[in-house]
Amino acid sequence: MIHSGFRFFQLIVLKVGINSLRSLFFPACLSLVCCLSCRSVPDSPISGETVAMNTFVTVNIYDTGTNFENASTWIDSAFAEIKRIEEMATHYSNTSEIGRINYHAGVDSVAVSEELVSLLEESLKFAEESGGAFNVAVGPIVQAWDFLAEQPRVPERERIDKLLPLIDYRLISMNGNKVYLQKKGMSLDLGGIAKGYAVDRAVDVLKAGGFKRFIVDLGGNLGVFWEGTRLIDSAAARILVRHPRKEGEFFGSFKMGSGGVATSGDYQQYFMAEGVRYHHIIDPTIGYPARGVVSVTAMAPDGITADAFSTLVFVLGRDRGMEVIKNTPGIEGMIIYEDDGMLNVDLSPGLQELFMRNYSHD
Ligand code: ADP
Ligand code: MG
């Protein structure tokens, strides 16, 4: 659906009805909302919306004097690109490239596209850099938790312990374009990175269309392109960070220029059992949800890095996570955590000047 017209706070509204999307492919989250600050922006962007990767996708183009028909065609191409990546990377199918790798685990290697080889290489790089906190071999454990079930439950400890040897990312072999999972029962799950990658490809499509000011929002994974701006820049987009405990409210906001943003939160896919919250971001060392953090918003020069960092910083926790953000050039981030029932936030140096907390709902 493509239309023109400025819609403030559009995505908070879209959070309603997300459960009806469960049968689709990727975990749903809507954690960020973007809108523009007032600098020389047409008040009617050309917008398009669709559903892909189990979430809502929105594109807004803000170039002045844009031809509607032309922009609509390019927006449709960006959506097609996202859906193409979904078809390649989903693990909810035996026929996708990832599905075929998983199906042949412990039996045979599978020839895949150069594109998937690169995406897996990137994923392994994030695994190495985070000491395994980011781990695309986490599939068997995510399946054991089955967060999307009608009534999810905590799996037996013995079952988790048996699965742990299967989620070793070092058992992913790559030889040219052939990928082999060395043990039967292993499976790849790109849920922590595929949306960020898809955002980057959609941004490339719109750049090829000649657009110079636009935002792609794939379920809270944002790709902002605003010619002449840098990531830490107050010139382009204002990002509203969803309140992790109050649906429809925002926790705070910050401004940014061109780059990627992603959020990982304990409220996106979770269930409660005996007063404990179990959510979908897994600490691969124990096979249980990572503890200590409520949500992480990561900013990076591109969407894939932002997506991987939001997940890996969440797993590493407050101290080690912020250390990694500070030590990695080009990355900024914020970590929301709970202390004595209150929410607090740690900000990386670049965000300190830009972030504004919204206290009106506390
Ligand atoms: P979302 O996709 O909901 O926006 P994330 O980017 O944090 O949130 O990705 C979470 C998803 O990533 C999980 O649903 C699961 O598929 C996968 N995942 C869970 N734990 C890990 C991990 N430690 N490393 C990499 N991927 C993970
Ligand atoms: Mg992620």
Side-chain angles (χ1 to χ4, degrees):
M1 187 170 43
I2 298 191
H3 53 85
S4 112
F6 186 76
R7 287 167 314 133
F8 198 70
F9 290 13
Q10 53 196 340
L11 292 180
I12 283 180
V13 179
L14 291 178
K15 183 79 176 79
V16 181
I18 202 78
N19 285 344
S20 62
L21 295 170
R22 280 186 166 185
S23 57
L24 295 170
F25 294 116
F26 276 80
C29 83
L30 288 177
S31 45
L32 294 169
V33 176
C34 65
C35 54
L36 295 189
S37 60
C38 46
R39 206 191 61 153
S40 61
V41 169
D43 46 343
S44 279
I46 295 175
S47 306
E49 294 162 359
T50 192
V51 169
M53 293 180 153
N54 195 21
T55 193
F56 296 99
V57 193
T58 310
V59 169
N60 281 306
I61 297 179
Y62 295 91
D63 290 66
T64 35
T66 302
N67 171 292
F68 181 78
E69 294 298 320
N70 179 46
S72 303
T73 306
W74 282 100
I75 291 173
D76 280 342
S77 302
F79 290 161
E81 182 68 352
I82 291 171
K83 288 174 184 170
R84 183 185 68 75
I85 292 156
E86 178 176 19
E87 274 167 30
M88 171 182 82
T90 180
H91 53 271
Y92 291 98
S93 147
N94 283 343
T95 52
S96 69
E97 292 192 56
I98 285 291
R100 287 193 294 116
I101 296 171
N102 291 347
Y103 185 77
H104 290 93
V107 179
D108 223 341
S109 63
V110 172
V112 297
S113 60
E114 251 174 61
E115 183 178 21
L116 186 60
V117 169
S118 307
L119 181 53
L120 289 175
E121 279 169 358
E122 281 278 288
S123 304
L124 293 176
K125 190 192 80 187
F126 290 121
E128 291 289 346
E129 285 173 4
S130 64
F134 187 82
N135 181 347
V136 288
V138 77
I141 295 283
V142 175
Q143 283 156 34
W145 282 92
D146 199 5
F147 291 99
L148 296 178
E150 282 293 311
Q151 285 182 315
R153 347 195 148 103
V154 180
E156 304 277 319
R157 165 113 249 160
E158 298 85 73
R159 182 165 171 217
I160 295 290
D161 287 344
K162 267 198 199 142
L163 292 173
L164 282 177
L166 297 178
I167 67 161
D168 185 345
Y169 69 89
R170 288 162 301 192
L171 300 177
I172 304 170
S173 305
M174 313 240 290
N175 185 1
N177 70 336
K178 295 215 161 141
V179 183
Y180 178 52
L181 306 182
Q182 291 177 27
K183 286 190 184 172
K184 220 174 162 77
M186 284 180 74
S187 66
L188 301 178
D189 175 338
L190 298 188
I193 198 168
K195 287 201 278 261
Y197 175 69
V199 164
D200 289 340
R201 296 290 71 80
V203 166
D204 283 350
V205 168
L206 295 168
K207 277 186 186 167
F211 302 105
K212 303 200 176 342
R213 297 171 164 198
F214 59 83
I215 298 176
V216 176
D217 182 338
L218 174 48
N221 286 256
L222 302 191
V224 176
F225 184 67
W226 208 262
E227 197 175 59
T229 65
R230 288 166 303 126
L231 183 65
I232 294 299
D233 198 314
S234 59
R238 180 168 165 247
I239 309 297
L240 303 188
V241 180
R242 207 198 104 151
H243 196 296
R245 296 288 178 259
K246 293 181 185 164
E247 207 163 315
E249 310 286 1
F250 73 102
F251 179 83
S253 65
F254 60 89
K255 292 190 177 165
M256 66 178 284
S258 296
V261 190
T263 294
S264 295
D266 70 3
Y267 50 85
Q268 288 162 353
Q269 274 182 45
Y270 74 96
F271 63 92
M272 302 295 291
E274 295 177 15
V276 179
R277 178 184 289 259
Y278 295 94
H279 61 81
H280 69 146
I281 302 158
I282 301 295
D283 179 345
T285 56
I286 51 174
Y288 277 69
R291 295 286 171 213
V293 163
V294 169
S295 90
V296 174
T297 296
M299 301 165 74
D302 50 53
I304 189 172
T305 312
D307 197 3
F309 264 76
S310 71
T311 308
L312 73 86
V313 168
F314 193 111
V315 174
L316 290 173
R318 248 184 97 194
D319 296 341
R320 286 199 300 151
M322 191 49 84
E323 244 348 87
V324 167
I325 292 176
K326 284 182 183 162
N327 291 336
T328 314
I331 308 288
E332 301 288 344
M334 53 183 277
I335 300 177
I336 302 178
Y337 61 97
E338 217 158 10
D339 189 18
D340 230 357
M342 302 280 286
L343 291 180
N344 286 316
V345 62
D346 291 331
L347 298 164
S348 66
L351 262 179
Q352 265 157 24
E353 302 241 314
L354 296 175
F355 181 75
M356 278 173 45
R357 177 107 182 236
N358 172 22
Y359 285 102
S360 65
H361 307 293
D362 289 348

